[in-house]
Amino acid sequence: MKKQLLYLIPALFLLLNCEDQKKQQNYKIDLFADERQEGKAYVMNEKECFDASDLVLSTAQIKPVDSSSGRGKSVFIYRISSGEVLKTTRDSIVAFPLQIISGQRLKLKSPMYVYLKKLEGYRFIAKEKKLKYQWLKGAPVYSVKTEK
């Protein structure tokens, strides 16, 4: 009799546990289903990028110089050899070559618009690499459209 009872106890435990899980599944309500946007980043259009930037360049001569990834945030440094200044709010004269920093790897196109804002943070890297500007966060790479 004791042996039969020993086999019956785990079976009862499993049966009760399954019923509890069914009850929990019936009452799950996601209060924030509308607000969840996993994996969707906001991408600015060209006008928003232009308006939010401190410096806008049109260049065909941009190349990666250095990158750091692994511990902490990824950092990418690019050198712009020459270009045309389309908008500036800080400097009246932009000296080339110019190095910039970005928190994202850029898909370089030739020629392209470069949307920059004043450097915030990166104090030690900025001093060593003489950086003044960083890539505008949320700005994608836009190709320069040739007018006919």
Side-chain angles (χ1 to χ4, degrees):
M1 177 102 172
K2 288 183 182 179
K3 288 183 182 179
Q4 291 174 349
L5 204 67
L6 289 175
Y7 292 116
L8 189 61
I9 291 175
L12 286 174
F13 178 73
L14 288 173
L15 183 65
L16 292 174
N17 194 17
C18 289
E19 288 180 13
D20 288 343
Q21 287 178 354
K22 287 180 183 178
K23 287 179 184 177
Q24 288 175 358
Q25 289 175 356
N26 291 339
Y27 295 108
K28 285 186 180 177
I29 298 172
D30 191 0
L31 298 175
F32 302 101
D34 314 356
E35 298 176 14
R36 186 172 297 118
Q37 297 177 357
E38 295 176 11
K40 295 180 182 177
Y42 178 71
V43 179
M44 302 171 106
N45 63 33
E46 288 185 62
K47 185 174 179 355
E48 288 176 318
C49 292
F50 192 85
D51 293 340
S53 298
D54 291 334
L55 178 65
V56 179
L57 301 172
S58 170
T59 185
Q61 299 189 354
I62 182 170
K63 62 181 181 179
V65 176
D66 200 0
S67 67
S68 169
S69 61
R71 193 185 299 184
K73 293 191 295 183
S74 296
V75 174
F76 302 93
I77 299 176
Y78 296 91
R79 175 178 284 133
I80 302 170
S81 301
S82 65
E84 179 184 348
V85 178
L86 302 175
K87 174 188 173 184
T88 181
T89 58
R90 292 185 62 205
D91 301 328
S92 57
I93 298 173
V94 178
F96 290 102
L98 173 71
Q99 289 195 29
I100 63 167
I101 194 167
S102 175
Q104 63 194 31
R105 183 181 305 272
L106 303 177
K107 295 178 183 172
L108 301 178
K109 300 176 182 176
S110 183
M112 63 183 266
Y113 292 113
V114 180
Y115 301 102
L116 305 172
K117 67 176 186 173
K118 181 184 173 211
L119 186 66
E120 296 170 359
Y122 305 107
R123 187 174 60 194
F124 299 112
I125 299 172
K127 193 179 236 182
E128 182 181 324
K129 298 281 189 178
K130 298 181 178 115
L131 301 170
K132 289 184 180 179
Y133 294 98
Q134 68 185 32
W135 185 263
L136 181 65
K137 187 176 181 181
V141 175
Y142 287 110
S143 297
V144 174
K145 296 175 182 102
T146 55
E147 296 178 18
K148 294 179 181 178

